Amino acid sequence: MRTPWKAALGLIAGAVLCLSPQAAALPGTAPHPAPAAPAAAAADPAYKILVYSRTAGFRHSSIDEGVTALRELGAQNNFTLDATEDPTAFTAANLAKYKAVVFLSTTGDVLDAGQQTAFQQYLGAGGGYVGIHAAADTEYDWPFYEGLAGAWFQSHPAIQSATVKVEDRAHDATAHLGATWQRTDEWYNYRTNPRTTAHVLASLDESSYSGGSMNGDHPIAWCKDYAGGRAFYTGGGHTEESFADPAFRRHLLGGIRWASGNTEADCRPETGYTPLFDGTSTTGWKQAGPGGFTLADGTLTSQGGLGLLWYNAKEITGDYSLKLDWKAAGDDNSGVFVGFPASDDPWSAVNNGYEIQIDATDTPDRTTGSVYGFKSADLTARDAALNPPGEWNTYEIKVTGERLEIYLNGRKINDFTNTDPVRSLKQGYIGLQNHGDGDDVSFRNVRIKQAGTPPPGQRTGEVKGVNGKCLDIDGGNTADGTKAQIWTCNGTAAQRWTVGTDGTLKALGKCLDVAGGGSADGTKIQLYTCNGSGAQKWAAQSDGTVRNPQSGKCLDASGGTWNDGTPVHLWTCHTGPNQKWTLP
């Protein structure tokens, strides 16, 4: 089924996926480098954006180049812009004219209370925000803005080349890039890690340059749904040269298109997924039936068929979330199979499992988002979430017992419960179908998260400090404000810490916290209800210290002698023995 405007764009397609034995046996292939990206994207309805570049602190010399680049992108991609540094532009009536507002290297306090309220209301009505570079160095006294931008600036090293790891190659801001992107810029460190509240599109390889301080997990571009609107941020854009770079311009265009609602993406936070196909090889996959897939640029593209490429390395049991990115070239047919038994016959998956369909022009129970032959997608929700041919989409296929939920670009479009014991969803394999000659569908980034699987990097155990003593919560008390101390290691829950992927240290169900979010030497370290603030973020350093990025200071066992009960507090980092900690 097609909505009229998507029909005009030549809407999406697909069906069942198939790979040849040759494709399944493809040797590991390194992803291609990022191509020189053209500025043009799919034709969008005409719209307007506001570019705001007021500075109340450091002023970037690249602002003029940024405005020029955005004007040229608009001329090429059917949007116009108003550029201003006048905060009186932030009224409800004026903001209503724009699909997105770009904060272009703003710094300091650039809006008063009334203007903040107008902007917050604009976002609540579905407006878009695009933050570029120093937009993260803005409005430190406005907590709403911290959530909008995703993280606040902390520091930066010298301008230098670094390797950007592209984590999401489906979002319009990053789909044109390879798995890595080598570029020169001023690379910000942030006070907090946005990964748990935003969807990370790209991150920095801290081993590729000097001065990164985010403990190896360093997001640099992300997106999120926020307060009723859409928010996109990129840390690039310090240098004038950035705005002449076609790949960076295309990155900005994708952020603007998404924030303006002209393309869809799954911008929900994502942690804990394990790759089944990471773009380098089809190891662990096996072809059933004719046809196949080619592997190039981290992408599997169907050819011939009818066949099925299935992941035979592991049967999936229990509850799980399967995510993958897909793109149809035109009115094509493909699909994703779940819950079928091991077999070299592709029809076994058809007869014993379920297919989540990719084909926008078939009957409702056989169109994109349907459980093929069993239940149509919510077509209104599907059409609102669907990108047209030539653009990437993301499926989440969520299995809970016999319940099958389907999300397209982050929006739920189907909810089906199996009642057939032959097709039980509680165990089985997953596969991608190539439907036949002329059906051109591509797949990237197949990953899975199974129930009970801890996120990568999350560890639990003792935190050991000076004299081999353990970080301990006084008396095992769980009340907010209970002091943290060192104590002889005893294996109790008061000394069992979980190092979270979000930078937290948790014990007894609560977080290690800097009292009041303070930064003064001697500030109490305590147990407190987890709240996601910078007072509860900790980063292990290569010198053995554990730093609170918000304050820039270290976890410290107080005093010059250290006995059971010695309190732990915040202190200027000096790498002495009372600031050295071993984490699980």
Side-chain angles (χ1 to χ4, degrees), residues 46-53 63-84 97-102 104 132 256:
Y47 62 103
K48 291 184 70 174
I49 66 172
L50 177 67
V51 177
Y52 186 53
S53 55
I63 287 175
D64 289 344
E65 285 80 3
V67 172
T68 297
L70 294 174
R71 286 195 190 280
E72 291 175 354
L73 282 174
Q76 296 161 355
N77 295 279
N78 212 27
F79 67 83
T80 56
L81 66 84
D82 292 330
T84 186
K97 299 187 297 186
Y98 303 106
K99 296 294 290 291
V101 178
V102 179
L104 174 58
I132 301 175
I256 291 168

Side-chain angles (χ1 to χ4, degrees), residues 169-450:
R169 298 187 66 203
H171 194 286
D172 196 55
T174 44
H176 64 292
L177 300 170
T180 59
W181 185 18
Q182 197 72 29
R183 64 182 311 271
T184 296
D185 216 317
E186 181 185 75
W187 302 113
Y188 277 6
N189 298 309
Y190 301 95
R191 298 185 183 188
T192 56
N193 190 318
R195 189 174 294 276
T196 57
T197 59
H199 179 71
V200 176
L201 303 175
S203 58
L204 292 175
D205 179 353
E206 288 193 332
S207 70
S208 70
Y209 73 106
S210 299
S213 64
M214 295 187 68
N215 201 32
D217 183 15
H218 196 142
I220 198 65
W222 53 81
C223 61
K224 65 194 302 186
D225 296 310
Y226 186 73
R230 296 184 176 195
F232 169 87
Y233 172 83
T234 179
H238 174 86
T239 65
E240 290 91 339
E241 293 79 6
S242 292
F243 294 101
D245 175 7
F248 186 71
R249 283 191 173 206
R250 186 63 183 84
H251 178 58
L252 295 178
L253 175 61
I256 291 168
R257 292 189 71 229
W258 178 79
S260 300
N262 289 304
T263 187
E264 300 299 321
D266 189 345
C267 282
R268 297 173 297 168
E270 181 176 315
T271 58
Y273 284 79
T274 300
L276 301 183
F277 169 67
D278 63 1
T280 60
S281 80
T282 53
T283 299
W285 294 79
K286 186 178 182 181
Q287 177 63 27
F293 286 89
T294 60
L295 171 56
D297 191 27
T299 304
L300 292 167
T301 301
S302 63
Q303 57 182 9
L306 177 76
L308 185 75
L309 181 70
W310 59 291
Y311 188 69
N312 73 324
K314 180 182 179 181
E315 185 175 25
I316 310 301
T317 60
D319 299 343
Y320 63 90
S321 166
L322 174 70
K323 284 191 175 183
L324 52 86
D325 306 327
W326 61 268
K327 178 177 70 173
D331 188 4
D332 302 294
N333 193 315
S334 186
V336 183
F337 280 87
V338 297
F340 59 90
S343 176
D344 289 329
D345 178 2
W347 290 100
S348 178
V350 175
N351 296 325
N352 299 289
Y354 286 109
E355 179 189 0
I356 292 79
Q357 180 72 337
I358 300 171
D359 183 352
T361 58
D362 211 327
T363 58
D365 66 335
R366 298 182 178 188
T367 188
T368 297
S370 67
V371 181
Y372 185 90
F374 290 90
K375 186 174 182 180
S376 171
D378 178 334
L379 298 183
T380 300
R382 190 280 310 274
D383 288 346
L386 185 62
N387 288 324
E391 295 189 25
W392 287 92
N393 293 274
T394 298
Y395 264 160
E396 180 188 10
I397 299 165
K398 184 177 180 181
V399 172
T400 309
E402 297 291 357
R403 184 182 184 187
L404 177 61
E405 297 170 272
I406 302 167
Y407 294 78
L408 175 64
N409 294 323
R411 185 176 303 192
K412 189 173 180 178
I413 61 169
N414 208 336
D415 194 335
F416 170 77
T417 299
N418 171 58
T419 58
D420 182 353
V422 174
R423 297 178 185 266
S424 177
L425 289 165
K426 293 183 178 179
Q427 62 184 47
Y429 291 84
I430 65 169
L432 309 174
Q433 184 191 41
N434 59 312
H435 191 262
D437 290 335
D439 285 315
D440 183 0
V441 180
S442 299
F443 294 84
R444 284 177 174 171
N445 195 17
V446 183
R447 65 263 194 207
I448 195 167
K449 181 177 182 179
Q450 294 186 259

Side-chain angles (χ1 to χ4, degrees), residues 96-145:
K97 299 187 297 186
Y98 303 106
K99 296 294 290 291
V101 178
V102 179
F103 276 50
L104 174 58
S105 283
T106 50
T107 54
D109 294 332
V110 294
L111 299 174
D112 67 21
Q115 293 152 3
Q116 290 175 354
T117 297
F119 188 42
Q120 189 165 338
Q121 290 172 343
Y122 163 79
L123 289 160
Y129 162 89
V130 174
I132 301 175
H133 194 56
D137 189 22
T138 300
E139 292 291 343
Y140 289 102
D141 295 324
W142 186 19
F144 177 86
Y145 187 84

